[in-house]
Amino acid sequence: MSFKIRKKDALDFHSEPTPGKIEVTPTKPLATQHDLALAYSPGVAVPCLEIAEDKEKVYKYTAKGNLVGVISNGTAVLGLGNIGPEASKPVMEGKGVLFKKFAGIDVFDIEIDEEDSDEFIKIVKSLEPTFGGINLEDIKAPESFKVEGELREQMNIPVMHDDQHGTAIISSAALLNALEVVGKKIGEIKIVVNGAGGAAIACTDLYVKMGATKENIVMLDSKGVIRSDRDNLDAMKARYATQCQISTLPEAVKDADMFLGLSMGNVLTPEDLLSMAKDPIVFALANPDPEIAYELAMSTRDDIVMATGRSDHPNQVNNVLGFPYIFRGALDVRATAINEEMKLAAVTALAEMTKQPVPEIVSKAYGEKTIKFGKDYLIPKPLDPRLIANISSAVAKAAMDSGVARGSIDDWEEYKIELEERVGAEKRIISRIISAAKKNPKRIVFSEADEEKILKAAQLISDEKVGIPILLGNEKKIKRLIAELELDLECEIIDPFYQTEKIEHFAKLHFEKRKRKGATMNEGRHQMHDRNYYGSMMLETGEADALISGLNSDYPNTLRPALQIIGVEPGLSRVAGMYIIRNKKGTFFLADTTVNVNPDVEGLVNIIELTHRAVKFFGFEPKLAMLSYSNFGSAKGDVPSKTAKAVQIAKEKWPDMIIDGDIQANLAMNKKLLEKTYPFSDLAGHQVNTLIFPNLSSGNIAYKLLMEIGASEAIGPILMGMQKPVHVLQAGSSVREIYNMAAIAVVDAQATANKKLK
């Protein structure tokens, strides 16, 4: 999706709180003098001598096997051109972040101040002892062809220029499936390629390897059709020079079966599109504006099969579907190259994966009931958790089969499990939630809109179309803050102080709800001036779809108005609070961490039900441990007694639920120890991902300790059990945390609306 990026936001993101986007984190403990002696002198001499005897041991004793160099000279950066190596560094850091996020690969980015191809090649070649692989990036054509080609010949580690081959691999997978959809054969179709840069040449090369015939390909550059009678053609373009006596794009696309655009926006006209053959395949990959706008193309012909480079249209050709997983597979078998067999294996794996049933978690993330193979689903979605297992294993196997692997994999199923655990597909939980929110944005009322963080979050929510903010507070103050913060936030602002008629209406509704609980009309009028009460009443009356508050107020005072006005779901006796904790070990759900002080057995059963449902809502299969200070009755007391009883009742009510307790936290989280010590437990053989605490103090202390000293990221608190979406922020939440909570609130509101329709 094309987002509005403000200069200040982008600069702040890259400069605060720490300049840049990456850091080096030690993987070994360095707590004692002994640790330091092992890590450096004198202990480090031992692996040094081992490697000196056998260079292959560098993969055993150093990080080389999981380290990729992202290397550029800054001569063709994004759409910015030759801006130099220093200016390219933010892009290279960003590429490193994607490697880590999607494939668990570490990266050093290296920007080289050298435009001479021969010198650049020498420099990169000299870095071979450091890296397990080289990702070349943003090097201008035609030099990029020479650089990559010679480095592949000279180096014994994988080298790939992703700008070329990433696009080629993803678009090739899409092409294979598009041809299947329209019932055409690759060897028979006429292909027009608009653009003759590195990506266009690489795509065309790969199409030919898949069976396309050169005689059926017409390529254009900025001067028009590349013909064999043109002077001064470089070797790369000359390979695709046509004998046809045509010069322009309209002439080239007439009766063409496929158009591949890697050029500039809006160069393909509706008339051009209409002149193409039946069931045309159009890959308009220029960004941010495709060669023909998606909406225009779809309205021009109803038989078109189309892909773009944008995330707001079907079939996004996104390189992130390829390069992290290709390098992952190559590194894991210590491949000496990324060869054609490995690229084609990635193409086939992507194409075949698209035809498999799509996990519900992916459908939810993209806000679609079902996603299935067809003209609007030619390649997998970028957030599909199956990508790493499917693509990396296919690439690794192709490396072994083609003889470029120095390592081997014996158990492919175990390898796939290791891949999923390496990055933890569940780490993308927020990405999936945000994607789902964007499919159907809802109105979110913010009760503390005169806060700087709220306004910045509201701007982000509005820009990215995650939700529709409604701001409560003093209008003059809010507008002044918007101006001071250099925002261009345009959304509804409501100051309850001036809403005389609405306050009277809300007060009457409140009185009807609370008159048998001691409430009066005067009290209602007074309370409706409180923004938490006013916002809750907006939600209750349908003037908003979700409510967010609590940034600068205590939890009980924020929650109380919502409980009085909106209330608890029918059939439940209480609400509960849950935190999602994410760290290197995975994603975990903790409850109750914010609401119930000391729940009894019935209360714990309610919390179990709410949490189990919430974990499923986020796309996970709940494995619940009911925590205590004892293990299955090993100690006596109120806590072991009530937790064991709650588990017993839960098992009787929900026989399919995976739950056990009472159990200590360390045992619950140690799968092997639990299986060895208590093999009878219903949790034996499962990795626990959901922890139910016996009281508020234990849950609250646990999540706060994990946040502060456990190197964990927390999402929450997520309020469970309200009739309508109300979420209370943690005091002092960051802008990103508020934004994340807004996305959760929107998806919560979508689910609430769906329940009403059923």
Side-chain angles (χ1 to χ4, degrees):
M1 183 172 288
S2 181
F3 299 127
K4 183 172 184 179
I5 299 297
R6 290 171 187 77
K7 181 178 179 180
K8 186 177 185 302
D9 289 344
L11 294 177
D12 287 349
F13 179 86
H14 284 83
S15 64
E16 299 173 0
T18 303
K21 300 188 285 284
I22 57 175
E23 66 180 4
V24 175
T25 302
T27 59
K28 301 294 190 292
L30 300 171
T32 67
Q33 189 63 35
H34 184 249
D35 292 339
L36 295 174
L38 287 171
Y40 198 54
S41 183
V44 74
V46 179
C48 287
L49 292 172
E50 290 285 312
I51 296 167
E53 275 188 24
D54 179 2
K55 288 183 180 180
E56 287 300 299
K57 288 186 177 179
V58 70
Y59 288 95
K60 182 175 181 180
Y61 296 118
T62 76
K64 177 182 172 82
N66 194 50
L67 188 62
V68 166
V70 173
I71 301 179
S72 180
N73 60 6
T75 53
V77 181
L78 300 176
L80 305 174
N82 187 350
I83 59 174
E86 292 87 356
S88 77
K89 187 170 178 63
V91 178
M92 303 312 124
E93 286 187 358
K95 195 66 176 269
V97 169
L98 294 178
F99 266 110
K100 187 68 173 178
K101 175 181 173 65
F102 288 99
I105 294 172
D106 295 315
V107 163
F108 289 153
D109 65 288
I110 297 181
E111 294 74 35
I112 298 174
D113 188 9
E114 181 57 74
E115 293 192 24
D116 180 87
S117 297
D118 293 325
E119 290 301 314
F120 185 87
I121 290 165
K122 285 181 185 178
I123 294 168
V124 177
K125 172 67 175 74
S126 72
L127 299 172
E128 184 169 348
T130 301
F131 296 109
I134 300 292
N135 180 98
L136 299 170
E137 195 79 13
D138 291 349
I139 302 168
K140 69 183 177 71
E143 289 90 336
S144 59
F145 296 107
K146 177 181 178 180
V147 167
E148 187 199 38
E150 293 199 15
L151 286 173
R152 287 179 64 181
E153 288 292 323
Q154 296 179 28
M155 299 181 80
N156 287 313
I157 57 175
V159 177
M160 187 171 86
H161 190 215
D162 183 51
D163 300 333
Q164 298 174 32
H165 302 294
T167 304
I169 289 164
I170 312 309
S171 73
S172 293
L175 176 57
L176 284 182
N177 282 338
L179 289 170
E180 184 172 331
V181 168
V182 300
K184 296 182 181 181
K185 295 180 179 179
I186 192 166
E188 299 173 357
I189 62 170
K190 177 183 175 183
I191 301 172
V192 174
V193 181
N194 197 58
I201 296 286
C203 286
T204 312
D205 286 347
L206 202 51
Y207 296 172
V208 170
K209 284 187 171 63
M210 294 194 306
T213 57
K214 284 189 177 181
E215 292 76 16
N216 289 341
I217 297 171
V218 175
M219 184 176 287
L220 298 91
D221 61 12
S222 59
K223 297 177 182 177
V225 172
I226 298 172
R227 292 179 8 183
S228 54
D229 58 358
R230 257 178 52 179
D231 296 330
N232 301 319
L233 281 177
D234 65 55
M236 303 307 294
K237 291 182 181 180
R239 290 193 291 116
Y240 292 107
T242 182
Q243 300 286 337
C244 298
Q245 296 302 301
I246 54 176
S247 302
T248 65
L249 180 59
E251 291 175 307
V253 297
K254 182 173 171 49
D255 298 322
D257 297 284
M258 183 202 181
F259 170 87
L260 171 65
L262 286 156
S263 52
M264 57 189 296
N266 304 310
V267 295
L268 188 70
T269 68
E271 290 74 24
D272 296 334
L273 190 58
L274 287 168
S275 75
M276 291 181 70
K278 183 177 182 294
D279 299 316
I281 298 167
V282 175
F283 290 179
L285 305 185
N287 250 328
D289 298 317
E291 281 78 4
I292 183 170
Y294 178 81
E295 295 81 2
L296 177 59
M298 300 308 289
S299 64
T300 301
R301 293 187 66 154
D302 59 10
D303 62 343
I304 187 173
V305 178
M306 188 167 182
T308 71
R310 293 176 57 125
S311 62
D312 50 350
H313 303 313
N315 304 320
Q316 183 193 17
V317 175
N318 187 334
N319 282 19
V320 81
L321 290 169
F323 72 84
Y325 314 116
I326 293 166
F327 271 96
R328 177 77 277 154
L331 292 174
D332 288 342
V333 293
R334 287 167 46 201
T336 58
I338 294 174
N339 59 22
E340 298 309 306
E341 291 88 346
M342 294 159 75
K343 294 176 197 172
L344 288 170
V347 170
T348 302
L350 280 164
E352 290 302 318
M353 182 179 149
T354 316
K355 300 171 192 174
Q356 299 166 5
V358 177
E360 184 182 6
I361 195 170
V362 179
S363 299
K364 282 185 177 179
Y366 289 91
E368 299 177 29
K369 287 186 178 180
T370 57
I371 300 175
K372 60 182 180 179
F373 177 67
K375 65 186 296 185
D376 290 332
Y377 180 59
L378 301 173
I379 43 177
K381 302 287 189 181
L383 296 178
D384 195 317
R386 301 171 298 163
L387 283 163
I388 188 167
N390 281 270
I391 311 309
S392 298
S393 59
V395 169
K397 189 173 189 307
M400 290 169 57
D401 292 345
S402 62
V404 297
R406 289 173 292 187
S408 64
I409 294 168
D410 299 319
D411 188 333
W412 290 100
E413 289 307 311
E414 182 63 28
Y415 175 56
K416 288 181 179 181
I417 292 170
E418 289 173 5
L419 286 170
E420 290 170 352
E421 289 178 348
R422 185 186 288 267
V423 297
E426 68 272 7
K427 288 182 181 179
R428 304 177 200 170
I429 182 172
I430 276 295
S431 299
R432 295 197 300 264
I433 289 290
I434 290 168
S435 293
K438 289 177 181 178
K439 294 294 180 181
N440 186 14
K442 298 292 184 181
R443 299 164 298 170
I444 313 165
V445 59
F446 289 93
S447 295
E448 301 162 301
D450 50 5
E451 293 290 336
E452 180 177 319
K453 289 180 181 178
I454 296 291
L455 291 175
K456 285 183 175 180
Q459 181 75 73
L460 196 58
I461 292 159
S462 181
D463 285 349
E464 300 194 9
K465 296 180 174 57
V466 165
I468 304 162
I470 301 172
L471 309 178
L472 293 188
N474 183 292
E475 186 173 3
K476 288 184 179 179
K477 182 179 180 182
I478 291 170
K479 287 185 174 179
R480 176 174 55 78
L481 280 170
I482 288 172
E484 288 175 0
L485 296 170
E486 299 180 11
L487 305 176
D488 55 9
L489 183 58
E490 294 181 5
C491 57
E492 187 177 5
I493 301 173
I494 298 173
D495 187 344
F497 185 81
Y498 296 104
Q499 303 296 317
T500 307
E501 290 184 12
K502 188 59 66 74
I503 280 179
E504 188 68 20
H505 174 59
F506 284 174
K508 286 178 182 177
L509 294 175
H510 182 259
F511 177 68
E512 288 301 317
K513 279 179 171 286
R514 306 284 298 173
K515 63 186 178 185
R516 293 288 183 179
K517 297 182 180 179
T520 66
M521 274 294 295
N522 282 336
E523 181 185 25
R525 291 187 187 98
H526 175 73
Q527 287 175 330
M528 289 308 137
H529 284 90
D530 182 308
R531 283 177 274 168
N532 284 324
Y533 276 95
Y534 192 96
S536 295
M537 194 58 79
M538 286 183 68
L539 183 57
E540 176 66 7
T541 58
E543 295 181 27
D545 302 303
L547 169 67
I548 291 180
S549 187
L551 183 66
N552 285 322
S553 56
D554 63 75
Y555 202 95
N557 285 333
T558 306
L559 181 56
R560 190 178 299 112
L563 286 172
Q564 290 180 4
I565 293 170
I566 295 162
V568 178
E569 272 188 48
L572 295 176
S573 62
R574 68 194 63 229
V575 295
M578 179 181 78
Y579 264 91
I580 304 173
I581 299 292
R582 299 188 298 165
N583 56 33
K584 288 184 178 180
K585 291 189 174 182
T587 299
F588 304 96
F589 302 85
L590 280 58
D592 179 2
T593 50
T594 56
V595 180
N596 297 283
V597 176
N598 189 23
D600 57 13
V601 171
E602 181 190 356
L604 285 176
V605 173
N606 261 190
I607 293 167
I608 289 168
E609 179 185 4
L610 284 169
T611 309
H612 186 270
R613 189 174 67 186
V615 174
K616 278 186 165 292
F617 172 79
F618 285 107
F620 292 75
E621 185 58 38
K623 283 102 173 178
L624 300 93
M626 182 76 249
L627 298 184
S628 173
Y629 55 76
S630 73
N631 289 313
F632 306 111
S634 64
K636 304 301 179 185
D638 289 341
V639 168
S641 175
K642 75 173 181 178
T643 53
K645 184 64 176 174
V647 169
Q648 180 187 341
I649 294 171
K651 287 181 177 180
E652 291 170 357
K653 291 185 73 172
W654 306 290
D656 294 333
M657 185 182 288
I658 302 171
I659 184 171
D660 216 340
D662 58 290
I663 188 171
Q664 293 175 359
N666 64 317
L667 198 69
M669 299 308 298
N670 190 326
K671 181 181 175 183
K672 290 182 179 178
L673 182 60
L674 174 61
E675 205 163 4
K676 180 181 177 181
T677 311
Y678 297 106
F680 62 83
S681 171
D682 290 350
L683 293 174
H686 296 287
Q687 180 57 61
V688 169
N689 61 5
T690 307
L691 305 175
I692 308 295
F693 292 89
N695 50 47
L696 183 63
S697 61
S698 58
N700 195 271
I701 290 167
Y703 94 77
K704 287 185 176 177
L705 278 173
L706 284 169
M707 284 173 61
E708 295 302 323
I709 65 174
S712 296
E713 177 187 356
I715 302 169
I718 296 159
L719 190 59
M720 307 177 293
M722 296 292 295
Q723 286 206 59
K724 295 184 178 183
V726 175
H727 291 284
V728 182
L729 297 168
Q730 179 186 353
S733 294
S734 68
V735 172
R736 176 55 60 176
E737 287 166 341
I738 298 166
Y739 172 82
N740 289 346
M741 186 59 72
I744 290 170
V746 168
V747 176
D748 194 357
Q750 291 170 353
T752 301
N754 289 337
K755 283 180 190 175
K756 290 180 179 178
L757 293 174
K758 290 180 180 178

